[in-house]
Amino acid sequence: MTPPVRRLFDGNRLTPTALHVNGVGVNLPAEMRSVGAAQNVPVIDLTARSKALVESLGPSASAQLFLRSSVDGVTDNTHFSQYGATQIGGLVLQSIREQRLSLAAYLR
């Protein structure tokens, strides 16, 4: 599973840092997808799925997915609020079902 995005915007788009691309251009999610393909194992691309969710909400509304000072006592654009964790978990479940992974038999 690739990592979920961070909430770091440049305008209405997530930054490379938010997408786990480092300062020298290494794209961690792309590397993980490549290893999965080379090893012939399924990969859940949570980076792409969470990017779609966070960017669809935009800079302001996406704040509810992450820890906020007013609710959680801390502002953190990397870790999820309870609501955000539920949304991200839903993306993982959807991917498991779509890929028909054997794990899907254990889901309700």
Side-chain angles (χ1 to χ4, degrees):
M1 182 177 316
T2 64
V5 299
R6 300 175 181 123
R7 185 176 162 266
L8 300 170
F9 280 88
D10 181 9
N12 289 323
R13 300 194 53 105
L14 291 170
T15 67
T17 300
L19 300 171
H20 303 281
V21 177
N22 72 17
V24 294
V26 176
N27 183 327
L28 176 62
E31 294 298 324
M32 294 173 78
R33 289 187 298 271
S34 177
V35 169
Q39 297 297 314
N40 197 31
V41 296
V43 174
I44 293 174
D45 193 348
L46 192 54
T47 306
R49 288 180 177 268
S50 62
K51 176 184 186 280
L53 172 62
V54 172
E55 284 189 341
S56 74
L57 292 171
S60 296
S62 64
Q64 67 185 329
L65 298 172
F66 296 85
L67 295 179
R68 298 288 81 178
S69 182
S70 61
V71 176
D72 307 294
V74 63
T75 297
D76 183 335
N77 290 314
T78 298
H79 297 94
F80 297 103
S81 64
Q82 182 175 350
Y83 171 74
T86 300
Q87 297 304 305
I88 296 298
L91 297 177
V92 173
L93 290 174
Q94 183 181 21
S95 296
I96 290 169
R97 288 184 176 119
E98 287 175 358
Q99 292 187 42
R100 302 183 195 275
L101 301 180
S102 59
L103 176 61
Y106 299 98
L107 304 176
R108 291 192 271 159

